[in-house]
Amino acid sequence: MEALTIHEAAQTTGWTPRMLRYIERIGLIEPARTESGYRHYGAGELQRLRTLRELLAEHEIGLGDVAFALRLRRDEALSGAVGSWLEAEPQRPEAVSADRWLRWEQEKHARIIDALTTNETMETAA
Amino acid sequence: MEALTIHEAAQTTGWTPRMLRYIERIGLIEPARTESGYRHYGAGELQRLRTLRELLAEHEIGLGDVAFALRLRRDEALSGAVGSWLEAEPQRPEAVSADRWLRWEQEKHARIIDALTTNETMETAA
DNA sequence: ACAACCTTATCAAAGCTGTGTCAAGGTTGG
DNA sequence: CCAACCTTGACACAGCTTTGATAAGGTTGT
């Protein structure tokens, strides 16, 4: 037999049945179901449950963190938004002084107006 | 003078001074300091503080999530580990497990296995 | 020199996470 | 048909996160 019940799966992976349901609830591992609704954990899921424990232990992260990483991977808009926010991070605070940034902003403003008034054939791709 | 104190920065960004210190503590925005230790928020930091609020509001995420995303981005080993764990995810539960549990069921009843073995040429179209 | 800021550190309350346990009810195999 | 599983749902509790308030003390500008 290839698929284990939740108690058996718990036993062989070191989790509790309660936690297997929780892990499923947050979207990390969703086992197949029998017709009557029983969870069935296959070899792949058992492996992933074991590696999940290692992952958490070795990197001091929580289930919620992994769930968020999964969400990042699935939600393109989210990962884009977070990514581009983080992108603006490489802080060299000394390098760009505040008033220099202000000046650059004003220049940009001027350039935009210029571009708009002289050349209106632009493909605004969002 | 272009850089704002913590109270001024809080005022113009909609955070509280307390939260600006917290945001710094979790590594998201670390403003420059004066010689005597006062935080100084420049235009760039103010901008990032405002976009941070939008980011949280629009995607229903928390500061801790963004902090984790930052950690992912900085810790190559971590992002590798999480990534490869998630990589093994794309299960199409329907495809495999349905007939698998059926087979398991029938094994238990010691019944017509022939029907399955002769009829196992199923298209796993995904 | 004083008011009005800033700093760090600490206590506290509200809320979320991770986990156990129990209850009411469906499935299953002998 | 009964014991031993399974299901979902709820209550509960420790511990962590998020946020505020407050204290003790340094800096600053007028």
Side-chain angles (χ1 to χ4, degrees):
Chain A
M1 59 203 71
E2 280 296 332
L4 303 187
T5 69
I6 193 171
H7 274 266
E8 295 166 335
Q11 203 103 42
T12 65
T13 60
W15 295 97
T16 59
R18 179 66 166 89
M19 287 311 294
L20 294 191
R21 296 197 184 98
Y22 185 64
I23 289 169
E24 178 179 4
R25 204 160 171 295
I26 65 181
L28 294 187
I29 290 180
E30 307 182 343
R33 299 294 189 112
T34 69
E35 277 203 352
S36 56
Y38 285 23
R39 291 169 180 83
H40 265 194
Y41 291 86
E45 276 117 15
L46 297 177
Q47 191 54 39
R48 282 167 58 68
L49 282 170
R50 295 197 194 92
T51 26
L52 180 57
R53 308 197 95 231
E54 291 170 21
L55 182 64
L56 300 188
E58 286 178 24
H59 295 279
E60 291 250 357
I61 65 181
L63 291 170
D65 293 326
V66 184
F68 182 68
L70 175 59
R71 203 182 147 196
L72 272 183
R73 171 158 308 216
R74 289 188 172 155
D75 187 339
E76 191 61 49
L78 174 60
S79 70
V82 173
S84 63
W85 190 87
L86 291 174
E87 212 73 15
E89 179 80 19
Q91 297 177 349
R92 285 285 160 270
E94 316 321 279
V96 178
S97 70
D99 63 323
R100 173 141 176 219
W101 180 87
L102 189 64
R103 184 163 332 213
W104 178 82
E105 269 293 288
Q106 292 170 335
E107 280 172 8
K108 185 175 84 175
H109 189 226
R111 279 197 308 273
I112 290 173
I113 292 179
D114 195 0
L116 282 178
T117 51
T118 59
N119 179 15
E120 52 189 32
T121 62
M122 24 188 285
E123 303 272 319
T124 54
Chain B
M1 194 162 291
E2 278 298 331
L4 305 186
T5 69
I6 193 172
H7 273 265
E8 295 165 334
Q11 203 102 44
T12 65
T13 61
W15 296 97
T16 60
R18 179 66 166 90
M19 288 311 294
L20 294 191
R21 296 198 184 97
Y22 184 64
I23 288 169
E24 178 180 4
R25 206 161 173 296
I26 64 181
L28 294 187
I29 290 179
E30 306 181 344
R33 298 291 190 115
T34 67
E35 288 222 343
S36 56
Y38 284 24
R39 292 171 180 82
H40 264 194
Y41 291 86
E45 275 116 18
L46 297 177
Q47 191 55 37
R48 282 169 57 68
L49 283 170
R50 294 196 195 93
T51 25
L52 181 56
R53 309 196 95 237
E54 291 171 23
L55 183 64
L56 300 190
E58 287 178 24
H59 295 278
E60 292 250 356
I61 65 181
L63 290 170
D65 293 326
V66 183
F68 182 69
L70 176 60
R71 203 183 147 195
L72 272 182
R73 170 158 309 216
R74 288 187 172 156
D75 186 341
E76 190 61 49
L78 174 60
S79 69
V82 173
S84 63
W85 189 88
L86 290 175
E87 213 72 16
E89 179 79 20
Q91 295 283 0
R92 281 284 157 273
E94 267 50 33
V96 188
S97 36
D99 70 315
R100 167 122 78 184
W101 87 260
L102 185 64
R103 175 188 299 257
W104 177 79
E105 271 291 293
Q106 291 178 334
E107 251 177 31
K108 271 200 308 200
H109 288 198
R111 284 197 156 179
I112 33 170
I113 303 173
D114 293 62
L116 281 179
T117 50
T118 55
N119 195 13
E120 68 179 5
T121 57
M122 309 183 65
E123 297 284 316
T124 54

